[in-house]
PDB file of all heavy atoms in Angstrom:
ATOM      1  N   ALA K1395    -313.675 180.823  23.580  1.00 94.00           N
ATOM      2  CA  ALA K1395    -313.621 182.171  24.081  1.00 94.00           C
ATOM      3  C   ALA K1395    -313.730 183.149  22.940  1.00 94.00           C
ATOM      4  O   ALA K1395    -313.561 182.825  21.773  1.00 94.00           O
ATOM      5  CB  ALA K1395    -312.226 182.370  24.853  1.00 94.00           C
ATOM      6  N   ALA K1396    -314.019 184.437  23.324  1.00 95.00           N
ATOM      7  CA  ALA K1396    -314.197 185.454  22.315  1.00 95.00           C
ATOM      8  C   ALA K1396    -313.828 186.808  22.911  1.00 95.00           C
ATOM      9  O   ALA K1396    -313.879 186.979  24.131  1.00 95.00           O
ATOM     10  CB  ALA K1396    -315.628 185.491  21.847  1.00 95.00           C
ATOM     11  N   ALA K1397    -313.523 187.806  22.036  1.00 96.00           N
ATOM     12  CA  ALA K1397    -313.192 189.121  22.438  1.00 96.00           C
ATOM     13  C   ALA K1397    -313.692 190.087  21.390  1.00 96.00           C
ATOM     14  O   ALA K1397    -313.479 189.855  20.144  1.00 96.00           O
ATOM     15  CB  ALA K1397    -311.723 189.308  22.702  1.00 96.00           C
ATOM     16  N   ASN K1398    -314.321 191.148  21.759  1.00 95.00           N
ATOM     17  CA  ASN K1398    -314.756 192.175  20.822  1.00 95.00           C
ATOM     18  C   ASN K1398    -313.603 192.962  20.277  1.00 95.00           C
ATOM     19  O   ASN K1398    -312.688 193.328  21.059  1.00 95.00           O
ATOM     20  CB  ASN K1398    -315.759 193.164  21.442  1.00 95.00           C
ATOM     21  CG  ASN K1398    -317.089 192.492  21.850  1.00 95.00           C
ATOM     22  OD1 ASN K1398    -317.557 191.744  21.051  1.00 95.00           O
ATOM     23  ND2 ASN K1398    -317.599 192.871  22.971  1.00 95.00           N
ATOM     24  N   LEU K1399    -313.518 193.205  18.957  1.00 96.00           N
ATOM     25  CA  LEU K1399    -312.459 193.980  18.359  1.00 96.00           C
ATOM     26  C   LEU K1399    -313.044 195.451  18.076  1.00 96.00           C
ATOM     27  O   LEU K1399    -314.237 195.609  18.009  1.00 96.00           O
ATOM     28  CB  LEU K1399    -312.013 193.327  17.046  1.00 96.00           C
ATOM     29  CG  LEU K1399    -311.410 191.937  17.182  1.00 96.00           C
ATOM     30  CD1 LEU K1399    -311.038 191.397  15.855  1.00 96.00           C
ATOM     31  CD2 LEU K1399    -310.217 191.963  18.146  1.00 96.00           C
ATOM     32  N   SER K1400    -312.137 196.346  17.909  1.00 92.00           N
ATOM     33  CA  SER K1400    -312.543 197.719  17.802  1.00 92.00           C
ATOM     34  C   SER K1400    -313.224 198.030  16.531  1.00 92.00           C
ATOM     35  O   SER K1400    -313.950 199.023  16.425  1.00 92.00           O
ATOM     36  CB  SER K1400    -311.299 198.639  17.921  1.00 92.00           C
ATOM     37  OG  SER K1400    -310.298 198.303  16.982  1.00 92.00           O
ATOM     38  N   ASP K1401    -313.142 197.154  15.494  1.00 92.00           N
ATOM     39  CA  ASP K1401    -313.825 197.387  14.239  1.00 92.00           C
ATOM     40  C   ASP K1401    -315.227 196.708  14.172  1.00 92.00           C
ATOM     41  O   ASP K1401    -315.875 196.666  13.126  1.00 92.00           O
ATOM     42  CB  ASP K1401    -312.983 196.796  13.061  1.00 92.00           C
ATOM     43  CG  ASP K1401    -312.709 195.349  13.112  1.00 92.00           C
ATOM     44  OD1 ASP K1401    -313.201 194.679  14.055  1.00 92.00           O
ATOM     45  OD2 ASP K1401    -312.017 194.822  12.253  1.00 92.00           O
ATOM     46  N   GLY K1402    -315.678 196.173  15.348  1.00 93.00           N
ATOM     47  CA  GLY K1402    -317.014 195.604  15.464  1.00 93.00           C
ATOM     48  C   GLY K1402    -316.989 194.116  15.177  1.00 93.00           C
ATOM     49  O   GLY K1402    -318.035 193.459  15.383  1.00 93.00           O
ATOM     50  N   LYS K1403    -315.882 193.531  14.737  1.00 95.00           N
ATOM     51  CA  LYS K1403    -315.853 192.127  14.554  1.00 95.00           C
ATOM     52  C   LYS K1403    -315.506 191.430  15.889  1.00 95.00           C
ATOM     53  O   LYS K1403    -315.210 192.103  16.873  1.00 95.00           O
ATOM     54  CB  LYS K1403    -314.790 191.755  13.527  1.00 95.00           C
ATOM     55  CG  LYS K1403    -315.154 192.268  12.090  1.00 95.00           C
ATOM     56  CD  LYS K1403    -314.125 191.938  11.063  1.00 95.00           C
ATOM     57  CE  LYS K1403    -314.493 192.464   9.682  1.00 95.00           C
ATOM     58  NZ  LYS K1403    -313.497 192.160   8.629  1.00 95.00           N
ATOM     59  N   VAL K1404    -315.532 190.103  15.886  1.00 96.00           N
ATOM     60  CA  VAL K1404    -315.344 189.310  17.115  1.00 96.00           C
ATOM     61  C   VAL K1404    -314.214 188.298  16.888  1.00 96.00           C
ATOM     62  O   VAL K1404    -314.305 187.521  15.909  1.00 96.00           O
ATOM     63  CB  VAL K1404    -316.637 188.571  17.582  1.00 96.00           C
ATOM     64  CG1 VAL K1404    -316.366 187.782  18.827  1.00 96.00           C
ATOM     65  CG2 VAL K1404    -317.765 189.535  17.699  1.00 96.00           C
ATOM     66  N   LEU K1405    -313.195 188.335  17.726  1.00 97.00           N
ATOM     67  CA  LEU K1405    -312.135 187.370  17.663  1.00 97.00           C
ATOM     68  C   LEU K1405    -312.502 186.201  18.482  1.00 97.00           C
ATOM     69  O   LEU K1405    -312.867 186.298  19.676  1.00 97.00           O
ATOM     70  CB  LEU K1405    -310.841 187.997  18.266  1.00 97.00           C
ATOM     71  CG  LEU K1405    -309.644 187.081  18.435  1.00 97.00           C
ATOM     72  CD1 LEU K1405    -309.054 186.680  17.046  1.00 97.00           C
ATOM     73  CD2 LEU K1405    -308.573 187.795  19.300  1.00 97.00           C
ATOM     74  N   THR K1406    -312.496 184.975  17.968  1.00 96.00           N
ATOM     75  CA  THR K1406    -312.833 183.775  18.691  1.00 96.00           C
ATOM     76  C   THR K1406    -311.630 182.778  18.496  1.00 96.00           C
ATOM     77  O   THR K1406    -310.857 182.868  17.644  1.00 96.00           O
ATOM     78  CB  THR K1406    -314.109 183.075  18.124  1.00 96.00           C
ATOM     79  OG1 THR K1406    -313.876 182.438  16.909  1.00 96.00           O
ATOM     80  CG2 THR K1406    -315.215 184.092  17.969  1.00 96.00           C
ATOM     81  N   TRP K1407    -311.597 181.824  19.444  1.00 96.00           N
ATOM     82  CA  TRP K1407    -310.607 180.773  19.332  1.00 96.00           C
ATOM     83  C   TRP K1407    -311.086 179.486  20.085  1.00 96.00           C
ATOM     84  O   TRP K1407    -311.956 179.537  20.929  1.00 96.00           O
ATOM     85  CB  TRP K1407    -309.245 181.226  19.825  1.00 96.00           C
ATOM     86  CG  TRP K1407    -309.167 181.662  21.274  1.00 96.00           C
ATOM     87  CD1 TRP K1407    -308.894 180.890  22.375  1.00 96.00           C
ATOM     88  CD2 TRP K1407    -309.289 182.975  21.783  1.00 96.00           C
ATOM     89  NE1 TRP K1407    -308.834 181.606  23.464  1.00 96.00           N
ATOM     90  CE2 TRP K1407    -309.034 182.934  23.143  1.00 96.00           C
ATOM     91  CE3 TRP K1407    -309.536 184.193  21.197  1.00 96.00           C
ATOM     92  CZ2 TRP K1407    -309.151 184.082  23.993  1.00 96.00           C
ATOM     93  CZ3 TRP K1407    -309.636 185.346  21.960  1.00 96.00           C
ATOM     94  CH2 TRP K1407    -309.440 185.283  23.359  1.00 96.00           C
ATOM     95  N   SER K1408    -310.490 178.364  19.661  1.00 94.00           N
ATOM     96  CA  SER K1408    -310.780 177.105  20.316  1.00 94.00           C
ATOM     97  C   SER K1408    -309.610 176.774  21.202  1.00 94.00           C
ATOM     98  O   SER K1408    -309.194 177.482  22.074  1.00 94.00           O
ATOM     99  CB  SER K1408    -310.978 176.046  19.280  1.00 94.00           C
ATOM    100  OG  SER K1408    -309.905 175.882  18.394  1.00 94.00           O
ATOM    101  N   ALA K1409    -308.974 175.585  20.957  1.00 91.00           N
ATOM    102  CA  ALA K1409    -307.818 175.198  21.777  1.00 91.00           C
ATOM    103  C   ALA K1409    -306.875 174.535  20.808  1.00 91.00           C
ATOM    104  O   ALA K1409    -306.710 174.927  19.649  1.00 91.00           O
ATOM    105  CB  ALA K1409    -308.230 174.339  22.959  1.00 91.00           C
ATOM    106  N   TYR K1410    -306.151 173.502  21.291  1.00 91.00           N
ATOM    107  CA  TYR K1410    -305.132 172.841  20.468  1.00 91.00           C
ATOM    108  C   TYR K1410    -305.791 172.162  19.222  1.00 91.00           C
ATOM    109  O   TYR K1410    -305.123 171.932  18.279  1.00 91.00           O
ATOM    110  CB  TYR K1410    -304.295 171.877  21.270  1.00 91.00           C
ATOM    111  CG  TYR K1410    -304.987 170.535  21.469  1.00 91.00           C
ATOM    112  CD1 TYR K1410    -304.773 169.448  20.533  1.00 91.00           C
ATOM    113  CD2 TYR K1410    -305.884 170.301  22.478  1.00 91.00           C
ATOM    114  CE1 TYR K1410    -305.411 168.220  20.734  1.00 91.00           C
ATOM    115  CE2 TYR K1410    -306.561 169.077  22.647  1.00 91.00           C
ATOM    116  CZ  TYR K1410    -306.277 168.055  21.785  1.00 91.00           C
ATOM    117  OH  TYR K1410    -306.891 166.867  21.916  1.00 91.00           O
ATOM    118  N   ASP K1411    -307.078 171.892  19.330  1.00 92.00           N
ATOM    119  CA  ASP K1411    -307.808 171.283  18.265  1.00 92.00           C
ATOM    120  C   ASP K1411    -309.096 172.076  17.975  1.00 92.00           C
ATOM    121  O   ASP K1411    -309.560 172.846  18.846  1.00 92.00           O
ATOM    122  CB  ASP K1411    -308.185 169.806  18.653  1.00 92.00           C
ATOM    123  CG  ASP K1411    -308.907 169.076  17.512  1.00 92.00           C
ATOM    124  OD1 ASP K1411    -308.222 168.606  16.587  1.00 92.00           O
ATOM    125  OD2 ASP K1411    -310.177 169.027  17.591  1.00 92.00           O
ATOM    126  N   ARG K1412    -309.604 172.027  16.808  1.00 92.00           N
ATOM    127  CA  ARG K1412    -310.826 172.787  16.512  1.00 92.00           C
ATOM    128  C   ARG K1412    -312.018 172.435  17.426  1.00 92.00           C
ATOM    129  O   ARG K1412    -312.843 173.248  17.670  1.00 92.00           O
ATOM    130  CB  ARG K1412    -311.186 172.566  15.003  1.00 92.00           C
ATOM    131  CG  ARG K1412    -310.259 173.184  14.009  1.00 92.00           C
ATOM    132  CD  ARG K1412    -310.798 172.948  12.597  1.00 92.00           C
ATOM    133  NE  ARG K1412    -309.935 173.552  11.630  1.00 92.00           N
ATOM    134  CZ  ARG K1412    -308.935 173.005  11.032  1.00 92.00           C
ATOM    135  NH1 ARG K1412    -308.575 171.779  11.412  1.00 92.00           N
ATOM    136  NH2 ARG K1412    -308.183 173.682  10.129  1.00 92.00           N
ATOM    137  N   PHE K1413    -312.029 171.145  17.786  1.00 92.00           N
ATOM    138  CA  PHE K1413    -313.244 170.719  18.581  1.00 92.00           C
ATOM    139  C   PHE K1413    -312.943 170.057  19.938  1.00 92.00           C
ATOM    140  O   PHE K1413    -313.885 169.590  20.571  1.00 92.00           O
ATOM    141  CB  PHE K1413    -314.023 169.707  17.692  1.00 92.00           C
ATOM    142  CG  PHE K1413    -314.345 170.228  16.317  1.00 92.00           C
ATOM    143  CD1 PHE K1413    -313.722 169.688  15.199  1.00 92.00           C
ATOM    144  CD2 PHE K1413    -315.218 171.274  16.156  1.00 92.00           C
ATOM    145  CE1 PHE K1413    -313.989 170.146  13.921  1.00 92.00           C
ATOM    146  CE2 PHE K1413    -315.472 171.759  14.868  1.00 92.00           C
ATOM    147  CZ  PHE K1413    -314.898 171.216  13.777  1.00 92.00           C
ATOM    148  N   ASN K1414    -311.655 169.994  20.351  1.00 89.00           N
ATOM    149  CA  ASN K1414    -311.292 169.297  21.547  1.00 89.00           C
ATOM    150  C   ASN K1414    -310.398 170.185  22.338  1.00 89.00           C
ATOM    151  O   ASN K1414    -309.780 171.132  21.861  1.00 89.00           O
ATOM    152  CB  ASN K1414    -310.698 167.980  21.315  1.00 89.00           C
ATOM    153  CG  ASN K1414    -311.611 166.997  20.611  1.00 89.00           C
ATOM    154  OD1 ASN K1414    -312.624 166.574  21.224  1.00 89.00           O
ATOM    155  ND2 ASN K1414    -311.324 166.614  19.347  1.00 89.00           N
ATOM    156  N   PHE K1415    -310.226 169.856  23.646  1.00 86.00           N
ATOM    157  CA  PHE K1415    -309.339 170.599  24.517  1.00 86.00           C
ATOM    158  C   PHE K1415    -308.550 169.635  25.379  1.00 86.00           C
ATOM    159  O   PHE K1415    -308.927 168.506  25.593  1.00 86.00           O
ATOM    160  CB  PHE K1415    -310.111 171.584  25.374  1.00 86.00           C
ATOM    161  CG  PHE K1415    -310.888 170.955  26.557  1.00 86.00           C
ATOM    162  CD1 PHE K1415    -310.296 170.941  27.800  1.00 86.00           C
ATOM    163  CD2 PHE K1415    -312.116 170.438  26.344  1.00 86.00           C
ATOM    164  CE1 PHE K1415    -310.963 170.347  28.870  1.00 86.00           C
ATOM    165  CE2 PHE K1415    -312.814 169.808  27.426  1.00 86.00           C
ATOM    166  CZ  PHE K1415    -312.220 169.774  28.633  1.00 86.00           C
ATOM    167  N   ASP K1416    -307.447 170.154  25.920  1.00 83.00           N
ATOM    168  CA  ASP K1416    -306.645 169.427  26.910  1.00 83.00           C
ATOM    169  C   ASP K1416    -306.322 170.415  28.010  1.00 83.00           C
ATOM    170  O   ASP K1416    -305.715 171.447  27.777  1.00 83.00           O
ATOM    171  CB  ASP K1416    -305.309 168.976  26.206  1.00 83.00           C
ATOM    172  CG  ASP K1416    -304.453 168.130  27.110  1.00 83.00           C
ATOM    173  OD1 ASP K1416    -304.513 168.324  28.375  1.00 83.00           O
ATOM    174  OD2 ASP K1416    -303.707 167.250  26.607  1.00 83.00           O
ATOM    175  N   GLN K1417    -306.746 170.074  29.171  1.00 80.00           N
ATOM    176  CA  GLN K1417    -306.587 171.027  30.312  1.00 80.00           C
ATOM    177  C   GLN K1417    -305.189 171.455  30.547  1.00 80.00           C
ATOM    178  O   GLN K1417    -304.842 172.555  30.944  1.00 80.00           O
ATOM    179  CB  GLN K1417    -307.164 170.401  31.602  1.00 80.00           C
ATOM    180  CG  GLN K1417    -306.902 171.342  32.849  1.00 80.00           C
ATOM    181  CD  GLN K1417    -307.514 170.730  34.118  1.00 80.00           C
ATOM    182  OE1 GLN K1417    -308.360 169.861  34.028  1.00 80.00           O
ATOM    183  NE2 GLN K1417    -307.105 171.272  35.200  1.00 80.00           N
ATOM    184  N   PHE K1418    -304.169 170.579  30.193  1.00 82.00           N
ATOM    185  CA  PHE K1418    -302.822 170.815  30.453  1.00 82.00           C
ATOM    186  C   PHE K1418    -302.013 171.439  29.313  1.00 82.00           C
ATOM    187  O   PHE K1418    -300.840 171.722  29.433  1.00 82.00           O
ATOM    188  CB  PHE K1418    -302.130 169.586  30.995  1.00 82.00           C
ATOM    189  CG  PHE K1418    -302.818 169.005  32.197  1.00 82.00           C
ATOM    190  CD1 PHE K1418    -303.661 167.910  32.041  1.00 82.00           C
ATOM    191  CD2 PHE K1418    -302.665 169.633  33.448  1.00 82.00           C
ATOM    192  CE1 PHE K1418    -304.318 167.427  33.155  1.00 82.00           C
ATOM    193  CE2 PHE K1418    -303.358 169.113  34.523  1.00 82.00           C
ATOM    194  CZ  PHE K1418    -304.212 168.021  34.429  1.00 82.00           C
ATOM    195  N   GLY K1419    -302.663 171.684  28.139  1.00 78.00           N
ATOM    196  CA  GLY K1419    -302.056 172.428  27.126  1.00 78.00           C
ATOM    197  C   GLY K1419    -300.758 171.886  26.565  1.00 78.00           C
ATOM    198  O   GLY K1419    -299.838 172.604  26.257  1.00 78.00           O
ATOM    199  N   VAL K1420    -300.721 170.510  26.447  1.00 79.00           N
ATOM    200  CA  VAL K1420    -299.411 169.957  26.065  1.00 79.00           C
ATOM    201  C   VAL K1420    -299.000 170.289  24.676  1.00 79.00           C
ATOM    202  O   VAL K1420    -297.801 170.227  24.347  1.00 79.00           O
ATOM    203  CB  VAL K1420    -299.469 168.439  26.291  1.00 79.00           C
ATOM    204  CG1 VAL K1420    -299.616 168.077  27.717  1.00 79.00           C
ATOM    205  CG2 VAL K1420    -300.643 167.821  25.463  1.00 79.00           C
ATOM    206  N   ASN K1421    -299.963 170.633  23.801  1.00 85.00           N
ATOM    207  CA  ASN K1421    -299.570 170.894  22.401  1.00 85.00           C
ATOM    208  C   ASN K1421    -299.130 172.358  22.149  1.00 85.00           C
ATOM    209  O   ASN K1421    -298.593 172.656  21.138  1.00 85.00           O
ATOM    210  CB  ASN K1421    -300.746 170.550  21.502  1.00 85.00           C
ATOM    211  CG  ASN K1421    -300.959 169.019  21.386  1.00 85.00           C
ATOM    212  OD1 ASN K1421    -300.123 168.346  20.818  1.00 85.00           O
ATOM    213  ND2 ASN K1421    -302.041 168.571  22.019  1.00 85.00           N
ATOM    214  N   GLY K1422    -299.495 173.272  23.074  1.00 91.00           N
ATOM    215  CA  GLY K1422    -299.079 174.680  22.944  1.00 91.00           C
ATOM    216  C   GLY K1422    -299.491 175.323  21.668  1.00 91.00           C
ATOM    217  O   GLY K1422    -298.724 176.034  21.027  1.00 91.00           O
ATOM    218  N   GLU K1423    -300.770 175.134  21.207  1.00 92.00           N
ATOM    219  CA  GLU K1423    -301.257 175.774  20.015  1.00 92.00           C
ATOM    220  C   GLU K1423    -302.702 175.993  20.153  1.00 92.00           C
ATOM    221  O   GLU K1423    -303.392 175.397  21.057  1.00 92.00           O
ATOM    222  CB  GLU K1423    -300.952 174.883  18.769  1.00 92.00           C
ATOM    223  CG  GLU K1423    -301.650 173.505  18.873  1.00 92.00           C
ATOM    224  CD  GLU K1423    -301.255 172.627  17.697  1.00 92.00           C
ATOM    225  OE1 GLU K1423    -300.010 172.649  17.356  1.00 92.00           O
ATOM    226  OE2 GLU K1423    -302.130 171.830  17.221  1.00 92.00           O
ATOM    227  N   THR K1424    -303.302 176.769  19.268  1.00 94.00           N
ATOM    228  CA  THR K1424    -304.708 177.100  19.321  1.00 94.00           C
ATOM    229  C   THR K1424    -305.171 177.547  17.917  1.00 94.00           C
ATOM    230  O   THR K1424    -304.386 177.916  17.097  1.00 94.00           O
ATOM    231  CB  THR K1424    -304.999 178.230  20.349  1.00 94.00           C
ATOM    232  OG1 THR K1424    -306.416 178.260  20.563  1.00 94.00           O
ATOM    233  CG2 THR K1424    -304.479 179.569  19.939  1.00 94.00           C
TER     234      THR K1424
END
């Protein structure tokens, strides 16, 4: 996912791991 920031940069994120996801979010981190 991504969001535009007011300074023109873009905030992006993955999930609990840099390259994998868990639908149920058991690790509670990103």
Side-chain angles (χ1 to χ4, degrees):
N1398 292 321
L1399 300 178
S1400 56
D1401 62 1
K1403 296 181 181 180
V1404 182
L1405 174 68
T1406 75
W1407 60 89
S1408 60
Y1410 81 94
D1411 182 81
R1412 290 183 177 88
F1413 307 112
N1414 296 294
F1415 75 98
D1416 184 329
Q1417 178 177 341
F1418 303 103
V1420 294
N1421 290 290
E1423 60 187 39
T1424 190

